[in-house]
């Protein structure tokens, strides 16, 4: 009875109109927004391809006057002598020293800090410390350079008995501080992603907190930690201003980390102002840019891969 | 009050001596009281089952015995928990030693993301065994004891997480056995397993209890009836969680419960 009645009244409300349909409405607004979002996505790709294209077009002609062998392995960079020589070995080695040492410093500090925050620190300490570390990421690099110049370099100078405190080591220390935030925050996320049940199992077997961190938590998060280190290295390789200010800017191939040096970024930044647009030096500087681009691209690609693996690792639970 | 519903030690002669004893133990999570002055003796080399509805404090009670509740911030324990007559909550007791003697198997199989071998060797390694041969012996012995050796002897280098659920749980049991504990706590060890795997674990428990003291928390009353020698029934009352209603030899408790609540629960009238 109620069923038929319901049906009846239903028909009544719809009286006059034909059976219910779903008339298509035009949604111009929707389309426009979709278009804008798609365009935004494309812009990023276009810009990247454009940058690469520009780099290659401006940089590659360097090989018309300097053979690749001389460019990559030459130890002399004399852009204004006659004939000019463009060997990027000093810059390349400097970058390796600075990035390498800063990574060596940043790994134990960063991972240790992340392990402390994720495993040891009580909640209120974590809440307080994490934003502070992330704030460190926001310090402009010129300010970091200034700190290195004014505060750190005198210490480095007196500690190692150097002629100048402006050295690769000084730059590396500042860079390690700058890559710390990303290492800490990505590593901490990775540690937090390790299921709690692993820790419980470890403690229940009589492992101490330290053993649990070393043998369970860190191995469990190792790909995330590796990725964070890669991202930190990427930052250290690409950082310019700090390095320009405190690395010392010497043109010789550095033999020790305490030598003054000029990493590739600093070489580009300091050279580009004097270079004649389109001239041989200009081309050589862009070619350094290509090398840098490839280096950071590789580091970031590896980091991406490793992070992806970390995400899949614990998908089961 | 709990004392007179508890006949284990004086009543039944066939039960072994007391291995673990809780005396007037209460547990608080912050302001919430999870256990209310529980007194219970756990007999040595026997299976003691703890049953009761969800949220009645069974797991909290189990985790007293290896001090796993310590890991949860803001918990407080009063009363005495004794292992071989020594209060394990005393100040000078090293919790690592307690956990070496009192192992634990969890609700969900939780092998480490390492090889089968490394999973079993984890405990011995932490306790200082470095010699590869010695470790191999321990791993083989533990896997045999856990009735898993024949299934994994060719897969020792495979990841533990690649085993089936039931195998993973037996791997976790082997991992505990490798530390040579005296007591094994099992927190609903079969709740994530299928009936066949469950039976295997139950058989294993019956075998192991000739050497180990086992306490099992279970939702499944048939399981308690099948595997345990002694059963303790926990209950929450209105807004009060963590009350021990009745404990005694399993056959007696299931056929002739002394408390009305117990009878209602085991006949399935609630819970």
């Amino acid at each position: 009875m109620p069923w038929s009645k319901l049906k009846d009244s239903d028909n009544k409300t719809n009286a006059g109109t034909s059976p219910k349909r779903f008339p298509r409405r035009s949604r111009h607004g929707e389309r426009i927004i979709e278009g804008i979002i798609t365009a935004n996505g494309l812009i990023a790709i276009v810009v990247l391809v454009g940058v690469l294209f520009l780099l290659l077009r401006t940089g590659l002609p360097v090989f018309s006057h300097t053979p690749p062998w001389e460019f990559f392995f030459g130890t002399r960079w004399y852009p204004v002598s006659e004939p000019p020589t463009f060997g990027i070995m000093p810059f390349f080695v400097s970058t390796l020293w600075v990035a390498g040492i800063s990574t060596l410093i940043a790994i134990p500090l960063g991972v240790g800090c992340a392990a402390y925050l994720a495993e040891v620190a009580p909640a209120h300490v974590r809440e307080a410390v994490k934003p502070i570390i992330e704030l460190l990421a926001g310090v402009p690099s010129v300010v970091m350079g200034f700190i290195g110049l004014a505060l750190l370099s005198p210490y480095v100078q007196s500690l190692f008995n150097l002629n100048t405190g402006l050295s690769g080591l000084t730059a590396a220390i500042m860079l390690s501080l700058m890559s710390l935030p990303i290492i800490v925050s990505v590593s901490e996320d990775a540690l937090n992603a390790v299921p709690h049940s692993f820790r419980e199992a470890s403690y229940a077997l009589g492992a101490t907190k330290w053993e649990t961190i070393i043998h369970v938590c860190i191995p469990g998060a190792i790909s995330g930690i590796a990725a964070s280190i890669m991202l930190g290295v990427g930052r250290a390789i690409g950082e310019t201003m700090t390095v320009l200010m405190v690395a010392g800017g010497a043109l010789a191939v550095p033999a020790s980390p305490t030598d003054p040096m000029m990493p590739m970024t600093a070489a580009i930044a300091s050279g580009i102002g004097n270079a004649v647009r389109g001239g041989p030096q200009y081309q050589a500087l862009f070619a350094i840019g290509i090398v840098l681009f490839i280096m950071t691209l590789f580091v970031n690609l590896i980091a991406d891969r490793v992070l992806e693996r970390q995400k899949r690792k614990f998908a089961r639970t | 009050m709990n004392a007179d519903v508890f006949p284990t030690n004086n009543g039944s002669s066939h039960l072994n001596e007391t291995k673990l004893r809780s005396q007037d133990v209460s547990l608080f999570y912050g302001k919430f009281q999870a256990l209310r002055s529980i007194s219970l003796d756990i007999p040595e080399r026997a299976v003691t089952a703890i049953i009761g509805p969800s949220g009645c404090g069974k797991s909290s009670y189990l985790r007293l015995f290896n001090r796993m509740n310590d890991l949860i911030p803001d918990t407080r324990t009063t009363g005495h928990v004794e292992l071989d007559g020594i209060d394990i909550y005393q100040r000078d007791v090293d919790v690592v030693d307690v956990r070496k003697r009192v192992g634990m198997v969890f609700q969900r199989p939780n092998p480490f993301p390492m090889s089968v071998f490394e999973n079993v060797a984890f405990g011995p390694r932490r306790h200082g065994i470095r010699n590869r041969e010695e470790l191999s012996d321990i791993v083989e012995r533990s896997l045999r004891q856990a009735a898993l050796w024949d299934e994994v002897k060719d897969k020792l280098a495979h990841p533990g997480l690649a085993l089936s659920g039931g195998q993973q749980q037996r791997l976790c049991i082997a991992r505990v056995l490798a530390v040579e504990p005296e007591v094994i706590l099992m927190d609903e060890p079969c709740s994530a397993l299928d009936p066949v795997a469950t039976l295997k674990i139950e058989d294993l428990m019956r075998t192991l209890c000739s050497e180990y003291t086992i306490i099992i928390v279970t939702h499944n009353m048939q399981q308690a009836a099948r595997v345990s020698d002694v059963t303790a029934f926990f209950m929450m009352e209105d807004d009060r969680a963590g009350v021990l209603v009745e404990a005694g030899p399993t056959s007696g408790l299931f056929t002739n419960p002394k408390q009305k609540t117990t009878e209602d629960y085991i006949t399935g009238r609630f819970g």
Side-chain angles (χ1 to χ4, degrees):
Chain A
M1 189 273 285
W3 177 242
S4 59
K5 211 170 181 183
L6 205 80
K7 235 181 160 182
D8 255 38
S9 65
D10 234 37
N11 275 347
K12 225 165 270 171
T13 50
N14 277 348
T17 64
S18 49
K20 273 191 181 172
R21 278 199 275 155
F22 304 101
R24 213 186 147 112
R25 264 158 288 173
S26 63
R27 293 194 174 83
H28 287 302
E30 198 97 347
R31 288 240 186 91
I32 292 170
I33 288 173
E34 262 176 43
I36 292 174
I37 294 171
T38 312
N40 284 341
L42 286 178
I43 282 173
I45 299 172
V46 168
V47 166
L48 185 76
V49 172
V51 165
L52 190 60
F53 177 75
L54 189 80
L55 268 179
L56 291 176
R57 202 191 59 175
T58 322
L60 282 183
V62 77
F63 298 122
S64 64
H65 52 82
T66 309
W69 177 262
E70 217 181 292
F71 178 75
F72 288 116
F73 299 101
T75 56
R76 288 181 305 168
W77 177 270
Y78 296 136
V80 288
S81 56
E82 204 48 57
T85 54
F86 302 103
I88 66 164
M89 210 57 192
F91 312 141
F92 188 73
V93 173
S94 298
T95 291
L96 290 187
W97 270 124
V98 171
I101 291 172
S102 82
T103 309
L104 282 185
I105 298 171
I107 289 174
L109 267 181
V111 176
C113 185
Y116 168 74
L117 287 180
E119 308 293 334
V120 184
H124 64 272
V125 174
R126 179 166 48 235
E127 302 305 309
V129 172
K130 219 178 168 196
I132 294 175
I133 288 172
E134 271 151 19
L135 213 65
L136 195 61
V139 178
S141 56
V142 67
V143 173
M144 292 305 273
F146 185 69
I147 292 171
L149 210 61
L151 293 179
L152 182 64
S153 69
Y155 281 108
V156 174
Q157 183 175 8
S158 62
L159 192 64
F160 294 94
N161 212 2
L162 305 172
N163 297 325
T164 166
L166 300 180
S167 69
L169 181 67
T170 320
I173 293 171
M174 292 318 292
L175 283 186
S176 69
L177 292 181
M178 294 170 77
S179 53
L180 213 51
I182 190 141
I183 295 185
V184 171
S185 90
V186 177
S187 293
E188 202 223 342
D189 289 346
L191 285 167
N192 282 329
V194 174
H196 191 66
S197 64
F198 293 163
R199 295 183 182 94
E200 275 198 320
S202 173
Y203 288 127
L205 288 167
T208 60
K209 182 150 225 161
W210 168 248
E211 290 169 335
T212 303
I213 292 173
I214 291 293
H215 296 286
V216 175
C217 301
I218 290 182
I222 194 67
S223 31
I225 292 172
S228 79
I229 292 168
M230 292 293 174
L231 293 171
V233 173
R235 167 120 212 225
I237 293 174
E239 175 49 45
T240 308
M241 184 47 83
T242 311
V243 155
L244 187 65
M245 290 169 77
V246 302
L251 286 177
V253 176
S256 117
T258 48
D259 286 349
M261 44 182 94
M262 169 126 46
M264 291 154 78
T265 48
I268 299 176
S270 66
I272 202 75
N274 312 323
V276 181
R277 209 182 156 88
Q281 187 188 359
Y282 194 79
Q283 294 167 345
L285 291 174
F286 267 77
I288 297 179
I290 298 174
V291 177
L292 258 180
F293 184 87
I294 293 171
M295 282 171 76
T296 44
L297 188 73
F298 255 95
V299 170
N300 278 316
L301 276 182
I302 296 171
D304 236 41
R305 273 286 165 80
V306 178
L307 261 185
E308 201 51 44
R309 239 184 42 203
Q310 162 91 8
K311 270 186 209 143
R312 260 180 281 137
K313 198 164 175 184
F314 301 119
R316 176 193 73 99
T317 44
Chain B
M1 174 202 107
N2 284 319
D4 38 75
V5 299
F6 182 64
T8 325
N9 240 9
N10 31 27
S12 33
S13 51
H14 67 279
L15 281 172
N16 300 324
E17 276 183 36
T18 298
K19 180 74 180 173
L20 288 159
R21 167 177 289 151
S22 69
Q23 246 178 349
D24 197 21
V25 170
S26 298
L27 175 72
F28 300 83
Y29 296 124
K31 286 205 177 93
F32 176 76
Q33 185 167 4
L35 294 173
R36 280 160 216 279
S37 60
I38 310 280
S39 298
L40 181 64
D41 288 8
I42 311 286
E44 191 172 29
R45 282 177 219 171
V47 178
T48 301
I50 299 171
I51 60 169
S54 296
C56 69
K58 308 184 293 286
S59 290
S60 299
Y61 182 68
L62 188 75
R63 293 160 70 96
L64 280 176
F65 293 113
N66 63 346
R67 291 186 49 176
M68 283 302 269
N69 289 327
D70 293 15
L71 299 179
I72 304 163
D74 211 19
T75 52
R76 193 160 56 83
T77 313
T78 62
H80 300 283
V81 181
E82 289 173 5
L83 171 62
D84 287 338
I86 292 167
D87 190 342
I88 58 170
Y89 279 82
Q90 265 169 359
R91 222 168 262 270
D92 59 346
V93 167
D94 190 340
V95 66
V96 167
D97 293 334
V98 172
R99 291 182 185 147
K100 257 158 85 172
R101 293 174 62 188
V102 184
M104 186 165 202
V105 176
F106 296 85
Q107 192 168 351
R108 295 183 63 118
N110 56 352
F112 297 122
M114 320 168 177
S115 69
V116 171
F117 183 96
E118 286 303 322
N119 261 287
V120 183
F122 184 89
R125 275 192 202 279
R126 297 295 79 77
H127 302 128
I129 297 174
R130 297 268 173 272
N131 185 311
R132 180 79 196 181
E133 249 168 66
E134 201 178 337
L135 282 173
S136 296
D137 288 347
I138 292 173
V139 169
E140 179 173 346
R141 194 202 63 221
S142 308
L143 286 169
R144 278 189 195 282
Q145 262 185 306
L148 189 61
W149 175 252
D150 291 334
E151 291 161 60
V152 301
K153 64 177 179 234
D154 303 319
K155 301 191 217 170
L156 291 180
H158 289 216
L161 285 165
L163 301 177
S164 75
Q167 288 174 329
Q168 286 188 18
Q169 195 62 300
R170 275 178 287 150
L171 177 62
C172 293
I173 293 174
R175 186 172 66 183
V176 169
L177 294 173
V179 184
E180 299 183 47
E182 297 154 35
V183 181
I184 303 174
L185 309 174
M186 296 189 168
D187 190 356
E188 299 185 40
C190 302
S191 64
L193 305 182
D194 64 62
V196 177
T198 299
L199 268 185
K200 278 191 182 156
I201 304 271
E202 287 179 6
D203 285 346
L204 185 56
M205 287 166 67
R206 285 316 309 169
T207 323
L208 290 175
C209 76
S210 61
E211 283 178 71
Y212 301 90
T213 303
I214 297 176
I215 311 180
I216 176 177
V217 162
T218 178
H219 261 117
N220 180 336
M221 278 177 285
Q222 285 78 31
Q223 183 171 59
R226 279 193 301 264
V227 301
S228 71
D229 303 295
V230 177
T231 301
F233 171 51
F234 279 61
M235 192 52 210
M236 66 260 234
E237 292 167 353
D238 303 326
D239 54 339
R240 286 156 35 96
V243 179
L244 172 63
V245 177
E246 185 171 349
T250 301
S251 52
L253 189 125
F254 275 91
T255 53
N256 188 18
K258 293 194 177 56
Q259 302 286 319
K260 180 80 170 56
T261 336
T262 317
E263 190 182 336
D264 288 350
Y265 184 73
I266 60 179
T267 51
R269 234 163 279 172
F270 69 90

